[in-house]
Amino acid sequence: MSISFKRRDGFMGEKLLAIPQKILREAKDKNPQLFRIYITYIGYFPKAAAHYRERRKGCEDNILIYCLQGKGHYILDSKRYEVTSNQFIIIPATDQYIRYWADKDDPWTIYWVHYTSDHIQAFNQSLNLNIHKGPIQIPFNEKAIEIWQNIYQTLEMGYSIENLCNAAFCLHHLIAIFLFPQRHVQNNHENDGDIITKTINHMRSNISQKLTVEDMAARQSLSVSHFSNIFRKATGMPPIDYFIHLKMQKACQLLYTHDHKIKAVAMNLGYEDPYYFSRIFKKYVGSSPEQYRVTAKNTG
């Protein structure tokens, strides 16, 4: 293999989310029956030249990779495989050595998901998922991409219990689409955003600003009290708390995908005081920004 440099991420047009372990743990502990399997990382890497990952001690998650275009390669338990367009692989949780990378001349475009469970080995055994299965050829899987996008867009809207639960439920569907593709038909749906969706999208578009409840309510032509009640009922938290929640989610994304200094990340999210930002981040995520960056990059 002759790759002049190696990249874990940072590809033009990529999408990437790493869900904080604290958020997953709290959601799972509160509603264990809703999270039999759940997503830990999700991403899309287009034409990922020099993409390379080595996991010397394996991975605690299952790794689903769908190659849309190009080629890639992986080594698992000392056996090497090639992955081409319209093939997918599911690398089950294992302590065996794993390495995968994009082809030098025709780098792959991939959708991928890490997912796990408190009983991931039993889950994999039930589906006959093992480390000896190679890439599987399927027709162009538009439905799988649609479900992946639904999961990603849901998680982009924040890590509320409802969103995490929706993502976990959709994950079952996503896995089924790959394992049993003949049993699924195309079905396209479009929804107009309601007040809550429009407000959350406004928050996301103004993530670096200091929005007020008055501003949010005025945009929906509602009184502050009525708007706040509707929002809290739909999301389980007050509007400003949700806005902070989205800021911290974005902070996790920036810390994982970029090497910006903590001060720069804070400024990008509207926090002039990096120490105040760090306190808020630790309260939300459970670790300091520095600790989160190290842990996420070592385990993602």
Side-chain angles (χ1 to χ4, degrees):
M1 181 181 61
S2 57
I3 295 178
S4 57
F5 64 98
K6 301 172 183 178
R7 302 170 65 180
R8 293 178 52 167
D9 48 57
F11 308 102
M12 183 70 69
E14 76 172 24
K15 296 182 178 181
L16 178 63
L17 288 173
I19 306 173
Q21 292 182 8
K22 178 176 182 286
I23 302 299
L24 288 171
R25 185 172 60 251
E26 289 176 351
K28 187 163 59 74
D29 289 349
K30 188 175 181 181
N31 300 278
Q33 300 307 316
L34 300 181
F35 296 97
R36 296 299 183 91
I37 59 172
Y38 51 89
I39 293 168
T40 54
Y41 301 87
I42 182 170
Y44 164 70
F45 292 165
K47 295 185 177 179
H51 176 225
Y52 179 91
R53 286 293 276 122
E54 183 178 37
R55 301 174 182 276
R56 294 181 179 276
K57 297 182 180 180
C59 183
E60 295 180 352
D61 302 336
N62 280 15
I63 306 173
L64 166 61
I65 299 176
Y66 174 38
C67 180
L68 192 65
Q69 294 177 328
K71 292 192 298 185
H73 311 269
Y74 72 100
I75 294 173
L76 176 57
D77 192 27
S78 301
K79 188 171 182 179
R80 176 169 172 164
Y81 304 86
E82 179 179 88
V83 187
T84 60
S85 61
N86 286 314
Q87 288 188 333
F88 77 91
I89 59 175
I90 297 179
I91 301 176
T94 178
D95 58 3
Q96 299 297 312
Y97 177 89
I98 304 170
R99 185 168 79 212
Y100 48 91
W101 65 94
D103 187 77
K104 180 178 181 295
D105 299 318
D106 189 14
W108 59 11
T109 291
I110 55 173
Y111 289 86
W112 56 269
V113 178
H114 283 221
Y115 64 94
T116 192
S117 161
D118 288 347
H119 307 285
I120 192 63
Q121 300 300 338
F123 177 85
N124 290 338
Q125 186 174 1
S126 297
L127 288 172
N128 196 28
L129 298 176
N130 59 69
I131 62 174
H132 304 296
K133 284 196 171 184
I136 298 174
Q137 188 78 38
I138 55 172
F140 171 63
N141 203 334
E142 183 178 356
K143 185 65 178 178
I145 295 173
E146 178 186 328
I147 295 169
W148 184 97
Q149 290 173 339
N150 180 284
I151 292 172
Y152 191 89
Q153 290 165 4
T154 295
L155 294 174
E156 271 195 318
M157 297 295 280
Y159 300 140
S160 64
I161 287 289
E162 292 81 3
N163 289 348
L164 291 172
C165 182
N166 180 69
F169 285 5
C170 288
L171 174 61
H172 285 83
H173 195 183
L174 182 68
I175 295 169
I177 286 289
F178 283 106
L179 296 183
F180 318 110
Q182 299 84 2
R183 291 172 173 80
H184 297 270
V185 295
Q186 293 301 110
N187 205 359
N188 295 319
H189 300 283
E190 291 187 9
N191 321 333
D192 291 330
D194 57 11
I195 289 172
I196 306 305
T197 301
K198 289 177 180 177
T199 298
I200 293 173
N201 282 329
H202 178 64
M203 290 177 180
R204 292 177 56 224
S205 298
N206 293 273
I207 200 73
S208 64
Q209 304 302 312
K210 297 178 180 178
L211 300 181
T212 66
V213 182
E214 289 76 11
D215 169 66
M216 298 178 201
R219 289 182 62 85
Q220 304 303 328
S221 301
L222 297 173
S223 70
V224 171
S225 59
H226 184 47
F227 168 77
S228 297
N229 287 336
I230 291 174
F231 195 94
R232 183 190 286 268
K233 186 176 292 185
T235 65
M237 65 181 76
I240 294 302
D241 285 0
Y242 202 97
F243 189 38
I244 295 172
H245 163 104
L246 289 178
K247 283 177 179 281
M248 295 305 106
Q249 176 180 325
K250 183 65 175 180
C252 289
Q253 192 173 6
L254 291 172
L255 289 166
Y256 184 77
T257 58
H258 299 282
D259 292 322
H260 300 321
K261 292 183 178 179
I262 304 304
K263 183 178 181 180
V265 174
M267 291 294 289
N268 279 336
L269 297 171
Y271 294 96
E272 296 177 4
D273 183 348
Y275 299 104
Y276 176 70
F277 162 74
S278 294
R279 289 198 299 273
I280 295 291
F281 186 92
K282 185 170 184 178
K283 178 180 178 182
Y284 172 74
V285 178
S287 63
S288 70
E290 295 88 347
Q291 290 170 330
Y292 175 80
R293 171 176 275 162
V294 171
T295 301
K297 286 186 175 293
N298 285 337
T299 59

